[in-house]
Amino acid sequence: LCVVVMPRPRVRFLVGTQGPGSERRSFHCSAFREQQLAIDAAKARVYMETRTGVDVPLDVPLLEALQDGVMLCKLANAVQPGVISDFVTDPKPPQALENVNNFLMAVPRMGVEATPFEASELVNRGRHTDAVAQRVVHVVLSLMEQSGLRTSWVQGHAIPLDEVTTIYQEGIGDPGAKVLANSLKGNTLVHELYIWRDSLTGVGAKALTEVLIRDECIRVLDLYMNNIGDEGAECMGDLLKASTALMTLGLYGNGIGNAGVASLGEGLKGNRGLQSLILSHNTFTAHGCRVLCASLRANKTLTSLNLMGNKIEDEGVRALGELLRSQAAGGVPSPLTHLILSGCGITDEGSRILAQILKEFPSSLCVLDLAANKMTLDGASALLAAFQCCTTVMEADVRGTRVPQAIVEDLETFLSLRRAASTTKRGMKEEE
């Protein structure tokens, strides 16, 4: 069996350039940065595996998989044989630091001018941040561009299925989705499936679902910026009803309305495996949000919900508040740790609703994104007071709102100090 890699245009993939039926959006929002980093990290992972023939572990974050420097040294020697004459394949921390330094010294010799990261940032897990991840991934992708492997991805060719664990496609359309689905029958190795950009409809989504509904390996399915609509969302709902393996479902910019969200909700009622659901920049409203939240009340596994760019407004936030309240019944915190609500038309009323829930009920929430909404100083003040009670919140974004810049900076400083204290405490526990 093989998976056909279809031709795709040579473009740089930017998250948030244009959502369906929307104007051009800002890149400053943390949710955009987070999803862009996830996309770039996936591309870097595929490149390293393809170039070295060695799998990058899927069960740990990318930085942890690279922190001993072994994969980076193997990558450098695959790009330019002998550029690193010697490295330790089973290193202790000092040797890991030497491995990474050897890689960093080899990067300019391979003709790459990339923003360097410090070896200690990668080797020391306590220093792993999104900013470090961006720099590490940037260096790897710069090597990809320099080495020309991207061209080999663009040309149409077949790759044996037993050689890949991650499949990345763009512009394959419904016919390509049917070919891909046929190749995935009996899959035992592929864990991540990325199909991006403006070509897949409900027909292609149905073809994939018919195969994936029996698949026990694929953990990530990302259909970024296609057009599966409510028809395709119904298929995804059927997949969620049956799947025990799928952990992340990405449906950014797929023209999904209230009916489609209702179908997804039906699938989530009995699902016990999905951890992350990305529904950003679709077309559903507060009504769809309410139906989705009602379906999630018994769910204990979904930890990340991204509704960015859907006009759910304050009524949608009210439904989310009711969800958090119902999940916390009995004193057990809601499982949600990441809630992305940027660009959802939320005012001070919605902000106060969230603040009240965070004050009154136990929560696991650590990331709350409310950027590019309509809140003012009153809403931000209510949230800041709530964050002082809800000590789990580590990141919050209210930029691009009507909140005064001084208050935005106060909020960022408050949470930055909290993160620093948490990192110090975690480091002390690890030393013990």
Side-chain angles (χ1 to χ4, degrees):
L1 293 176
C2 69
V3 54
V4 177
V5 179
M6 307 294 287
R8 58 186 175 88
R10 290 177 62 85
V11 296
R12 186 165 186 266
F13 307 108
L14 296 176
V15 177
T17 53
Q18 194 83 13
S22 66
E23 70 281 3
R24 188 171 182 84
R25 294 181 171 88
S26 169
F27 285 85
H28 69 67
C29 175
S30 65
F32 282 130
R33 294 196 304 271
E34 181 180 339
Q35 190 162 0
Q36 178 64 60
L37 177 57
I39 289 172
D40 285 346
K43 289 160 63 179
R45 186 188 296 271
V46 172
Y47 167 61
M48 288 186 287
E49 290 181 344
T50 304
R51 194 79 207 212
T52 65
V54 179
D55 287 345
V56 179
L58 288 169
D59 56 350
V60 297
L62 183 60
L63 290 188
E64 290 185 26
L66 301 180
Q67 69 180 17
D68 63 6
V70 175
M71 172 58 80
L72 293 176
C73 290
K74 289 181 177 179
L75 175 63
N77 281 337
V79 173
Q80 185 173 317
V83 70
I84 297 177
S85 58
D86 189 31
F87 61 92
V88 181
T89 57
D90 187 19
K92 294 180 180 178
Q95 297 165 321
L97 191 67
E98 185 176 349
N99 280 351
V100 178
N101 273 321
N102 286 339
F103 171 77
L104 290 174
M105 288 188 290
V107 167
R109 296 203 295 271
M110 291 183 284
V112 170
E113 295 181 4
T115 303
F117 55 92
E118 295 180 13
S120 59
E121 291 179 319
L122 181 57
V123 174
N124 184 353
R125 189 170 62 182
R127 297 185 65 184
H128 289 180
T129 64
D130 283 354
V132 174
Q134 287 168 350
R135 291 197 291 273
V136 173
V137 167
H138 177 66
V139 172
V140 173
L141 294 184
S142 297
L143 278 174
M144 181 184 78
E145 295 289 347
Q146 178 68 20
S147 65
L149 184 65
R150 185 176 185 185
T151 303
S152 69
W153 289 5
V154 175
Q155 305 305 317
H157 63 288
I159 298 178
L161 197 59
D162 59 3
E163 292 182 11
V164 294
T165 59
T166 301
I167 295 176
Y168 168 77
Q169 298 279 45
E170 184 184 0
I172 62 174
D174 292 334
K178 292 178 181 178
V179 173
L180 178 58
N182 189 57
S183 297
L184 286 168
K185 290 178 180 177
N187 167 49
T188 59
L189 289 175
V190 176
H191 297 295
E192 300 183 11
L193 183 57
Y194 300 86
I195 305 174
W196 295 337
R197 294 277 178 181
D198 296 331
S199 57
L200 199 68
T201 70
V203 174
K206 183 177 180 181
L208 286 170
T209 300
E210 289 172 350
V211 173
L212 297 183
I213 209 166
R214 293 182 291 275
D215 187 277
E216 297 181 355
C217 290
I218 291 182
R219 303 173 189 172
V220 177
L221 175 61
D222 192 342
L223 304 182
Y224 168 75
M225 290 290 283
N226 282 281
N227 190 31
I228 68 169
D230 290 345
E231 179 186 359
E234 183 177 358
C235 297
M236 294 297 108
D238 292 338
L239 175 60
L240 290 172
K241 288 177 184 177
S243 176
T244 57
L246 193 65
M247 298 171 67
T248 297
L249 178 60
L251 298 174
Y252 180 113
N254 270 279
I256 298 171
N258 290 335
V261 170
S263 298
L264 291 170
E266 285 298 312
L268 285 166
K269 283 182 179 179
N271 183 278
R272 294 295 179 268
L274 196 73
Q275 296 179 8
S276 177
L277 179 60
I278 302 169
L279 292 173
S280 41
H281 295 300
N282 283 287
T283 59
F284 59 89
T285 62
H287 175 75
C289 183
R290 181 167 293 280
V291 173
L292 178 65
C293 289
S295 301
L296 285 171
R297 288 186 180 181
N299 187 287
K300 297 299 181 183
T301 59
L302 192 73
T303 59
S304 179
L305 181 60
N306 187 334
L307 304 183
M308 173 174 56
N310 295 286
K311 297 303 178 185
I312 63 170
E313 301 179 324
D314 295 335
E315 281 306 304
V317 173
R318 193 179 303 280
L320 286 165
E322 292 169 4
L323 168 64
L324 295 172
R325 181 186 294 111
S326 65
Q327 287 184 323
V332 179
S334 165
L336 280 174
T337 60
H338 290 63
L339 187 56
I340 311 301
L341 301 175
S342 49
C344 290
I346 299 168
T347 70
D348 288 339
E349 180 183 354
S351 303
R352 286 191 289 267
I353 291 170
L354 284 174
Q356 193 66 27
I357 295 296
L358 292 176
K359 279 184 176 180
E360 294 182 1
F361 295 91
S363 172
S364 303
L365 197 67
C366 61
V367 175
L368 178 62
D369 192 336
L370 291 168
N373 279 296
K374 299 177 181 179
M375 76 177 70
T376 67
L377 174 60
D378 289 344
S381 298
L383 287 169
L384 184 55
F387 294 160
Q388 292 171 344
C389 299
C390 182
T391 58
T392 60
V393 177
M394 295 291 170
E395 294 184 34
D397 194 345
V398 296
R399 289 174 293 179
T401 63
R402 299 169 186 172
V403 178
Q405 182 61 29
I407 303 300
V408 174
E409 292 174 359
D410 286 346
L411 177 59
E412 291 177 346
T413 300
F414 172 75
L415 293 176
S416 177
L417 292 172
R418 176 178 285 181
R419 290 194 298 271
S422 176
T423 300
T424 301
K425 186 177 180 180
R426 185 169 60 251
M428 292 173 64
K429 285 184 177 180
E430 289 178 355
E431 289 177 2
E432 293 174 359

